[in-house]
Amino acid sequence: QVQLVESGGGLVQPGGSLRLSCAASGSIFSINGMGWYRQAPGKERELVAAIISGGNPNYADSAKGRFTISRENAKNMVYLQMNSLKPEDTAVYYCNARIVGLFTVREVEYWGQGTQVTVSS
C-alpha cells in the first residue's frame, strides 16, 4: 500500500521559518500531484500549495510570497518552505498526493497523518 509521512512541524515565533517534508512510500507507479493542506481549529481544511507533474505550483493567496512548494521526484518527496510565519498560519498541515499504484489502473488520493505548526511568541 501507499503511505505519506510528514515531518518538520513545530513551534516557531512570528516571522520565523519552518520546512515541512512529506515522503510517499509503498507500491507507487506514478505520482500525479502532491500538495499541502492545513486545518486550523474550528475551520475547514484548506489548500495551501500544490504542484502537479510538469506543472507550475499553485498557492493559496495567504501563502503567496511567503511559502514555496517543491518536489523531489526521485525520492517521492514534497516540501513546503514557510517563511515570515504568522500566528494565523497555526494549523495542522497535511500532505496530499494523487498516486497511481503499481497494482491499480486509477489514481487514488492519499493523505498524511498531519503535522502541527504553531506560530506564537
Side-chain angles (χ1 to χ4, degrees), residues 13-121:
Q13 292 186 342
S17 298
L18 280 176
R19 187 189 192 215
L20 305 183
S21 301
C22 173
S25 62
S27 302
I28 297 171
F29 175 74
S30 65
I31 301 178
N32 295 336
M34 300 187 83
W36 292 93
Y37 289 70
R38 68 186 182 188
Q39 188 166 19
K43 295 187 176 182
E44 293 187 352
R45 191 173 297 188
E46 62 177 5
L47 172 70
V48 177
I51 185 167
I52 62 172
S53 296
N56 292 321
N58 179 39
Y59 295 96
D61 287 343
S62 59
K64 289 178 181 177
R66 299 188 299 128
F67 295 1
T68 302
I69 188 171
S70 61
R71 282 181 63 176
E72 191 172 359
N73 292 330
K75 295 184 177 180
N76 290 337
M77 295 196 68
V78 64
Y79 306 95
L80 185 67
Q81 177 67 42
M82 303 186 293
N83 299 326
S84 302
L85 283 160
K86 306 174 182 180
E88 51 263 44
D89 294 317
T90 295
V92 177
Y93 284 70
Y94 295 91
C95 179
N96 171 274
R98 293 181 285 112
I99 295 173
V100 178
L102 283 174
F103 309 110
T104 65
V105 294
R106 61 184 181 91
E107 180 183 280
V108 176
E109 185 175 44
Y110 293 90
W111 293 90
Q113 81 285 355
T115 184
Q116 177 70 46
V117 171
T118 303
V119 184
S120 175
S121 55

